[in-house]
Amino acid sequence: MTVPARAEVVVVGAGLAGLAAATRLAAAGCDVHVVEAAEHAGGRLTTERIDGFVVDRGFQVLNTGYPRVADLDLPSLDLGWFLTGARVWVDGRAHAVVDPRSRPAALPATATAPIGSLREKAALAAFSLRAGYLPVPRLLAAPERTAAEALQRAGLGCAVLERFLRPFLAGVLLEDRLDTSSRYLDLLWRSFVRGRIGLPARGMQSVGEQLAGRLPAGALHLGCPVTAVRSGAVDTAAGPIAAVRRRRRHRPDGGRGPAAGRDRLGSTPGHHAPARAARLAVGRAAAGPRPARRAAGEQRRPHRRPAAVRPGRPRPGGQLHARPHPGGRRPRGGRAGARGRRRRPGPPDQRDRAARAAGRRAAAGPAARGRPGRRRVRLR
């Protein structure tokens, strides 16, 4: 497998984390290459076919409640679903603990399962509702404790903790003391409450293969172990890959970057991509927001200031006073005014004052009436 001599971003490892970062960097316009020592993409997600059976290495399931699962095309994975719940082995017998939302008929068996008292089961339901439906900022703002302390403060006693929660969480967190942060426990339990558990028909390896299929052609290098990572280069078994910084191309009009696909405001559909790429690639500086530019040859349109309606008391005859456009001209598009309900004429004293004011303006002559000033407009 040959590798490029230079690359803008090199991702070491084609596991789920590396593939997710690489696909997002590629979508942001980066020249990204992924190097993987194994002969398949997906990392620990490995699937073999033995005697016609699809066999996954290790205990791997797909939880649709994980945030990054939203990036996957779930229908194409052809998922088979597990029943939401668990089987608890107590006193030589298996007891089903099933989420009643998925199977309401199993509620009596779950309520009588020997995992604790009814009070502890109600506390477990309350803990699940809090973690599943409380906003994430409120979950993260809670005081941080160990997972064991958080479960005890939630009213989950020794029976439900030792018979159900500790064995289950030990397989997920890979530690049985429950010293994990309570905030991580809230987010993890939230994914189980809001998501479903399933397996792809072609095995868990198909998840990594789907992400790898979104990379540009030639960006994934399998069977290429990395021997060293040093400043400015990544050494692989196929040769070193030197870091290169992409230079912006200068346009004939003096600007930088491609002009195609830019709208009048100078923004493109991925104009926030540099900041996202900088968060994903450590040490990469993100370019600031591009200033707004007009397309080449576009003329600036004259700015027309609309007439401003003067707020205040209603004038006689349902009229409002409006400041005229500079120069005494009316803006194009019809009469200036305000749409609304017609007002009834004012009381007689207001009508008399209006009549006297109209008489004074008539006596002043047309020259005075033509001076710029306030203009009376009638409501439409």
Side-chain angles (χ1 to χ4, degrees):
M1 172 63 67
T2 59
V3 295
R6 295 177 178 272
E8 191 177 9
V9 179
V10 176
V11 177
V12 180
L16 292 186
L19 291 174
T23 53
R24 299 184 74 182
L25 287 169
C30 295
D31 176 28
V32 58
H33 288 264
V34 183
V35 289
E36 167 63 42
E39 296 295 337
H40 66 87
R44 291 183 297 175
L45 300 184
T46 305
T47 302
E48 295 182 2
R49 285 167 175 79
I50 303 175
D51 296 336
F53 293 95
V54 178
V55 181
D56 287 330
R57 289 187 180 180
F59 176 71
Q60 304 284 352
V61 293
L62 183 63
N63 185 354
T64 61
Y66 292 153
R68 291 272 63 87
V69 172
D71 297 338
L72 298 175
D73 183 10
L74 295 181
S76 66
L77 294 176
D78 191 15
L79 292 167
W81 304 105
F82 291 99
L83 185 64
T84 304
R87 287 190 178 271
V88 181
W89 190 266
V90 179
D91 297 333
R93 292 183 55 189
H95 303 270
V97 179
V98 182
D99 188 347
R101 298 175 303 171
S102 60
R103 181 172 290 183
L107 180 59
T110 301
T112 58
I115 61 172
S117 63
L118 288 177
R119 182 177 180 179
E120 291 175 329
K121 294 172 184 175
L124 178 60
F127 176 77
S128 300
L129 292 175
R130 170 190 169 274
Y133 299 102
L134 206 64
V136 172
R138 292 187 59 182
L139 293 177
L140 298 179
E144 188 173 18
R145 304 178 176 90
T146 65
E149 293 173 350
L151 293 174
Q152 292 174 359
R153 292 178 65 90
L156 301 172
C158 180
V160 67
L161 184 62
E162 297 301 330
R163 293 182 178 181
F164 176 59
L165 291 174
R166 189 184 298 274
F168 175 77
L169 293 175
V172 178
L173 301 176
L174 301 181
E175 58 99 2
D176 58 358
R177 298 179 57 182
L178 300 184
D179 292 333
T180 303
S181 169
S182 59
R183 295 175 180 174
Y184 182 77
L185 173 64
D186 288 339
L187 298 179
L188 177 66
W189 202 257
R190 179 187 184 89
S191 69
F192 286 112
V193 173
R194 300 173 69 96
R196 297 184 65 188
I197 307 299
L199 278 176
R202 297 180 300 277
M204 287 295 294
Q205 185 175 325
S206 60
V207 176
E209 292 174 349
Q210 184 183 109
L211 292 175
R214 300 180 182 177
L215 293 174
L220 178 62
H221 308 276
L222 301 176
C224 183
V226 172
T227 58
V229 177
R230 48 192 174 87
S231 178
V234 175
D235 296 332
T236 70
I241 306 176
V244 60
R245 179 179 293 275
R246 178 181 296 181
R247 296 181 179 179
R248 298 182 181 179
R249 297 181 179 178
H250 292 267
R251 297 206 309 261
D253 58 355
R256 288 189 175 185
R262 188 181 298 276
D263 58 13
R264 286 183 55 207
L265 296 179
S267 63
T268 56
H271 67 283
H272 292 299
R276 292 198 301 268
R279 291 195 298 269
L280 293 173
V282 180
R284 173 183 170 84
R290 298 186 178 96
R293 300 192 187 100
R294 293 184 301 277
E298 183 181 359
Q299 300 295 329
R300 183 186 295 272
R301 296 182 179 179
H303 176 71
R304 289 184 170 86
R305 177 183 176 186
V309 178
R310 176 187 177 92
R313 296 182 302 172
R315 297 298 181 180
Q319 296 171 347
L320 294 176
H321 285 274
R323 296 187 182 95
H325 191 75
R329 295 183 301 171
R330 181 177 299 168
R332 186 171 58 182
R335 296 182 303 169
R339 293 186 178 183
R341 186 175 55 188
R342 291 183 179 273
R343 301 181 183 273
R344 295 182 179 180
D349 56 342
Q350 289 186 6
R351 291 198 295 269
D352 294 342
R353 289 198 299 271
R356 290 195 296 270
R360 288 195 296 269
R361 287 194 297 271
R369 291 196 300 271
R371 292 197 304 258
R374 293 181 178 176
R375 184 175 59 207
R376 307 175 86 186
V377 293
R378 188 174 297 277
L379 287 172
R380 305 176 89 176

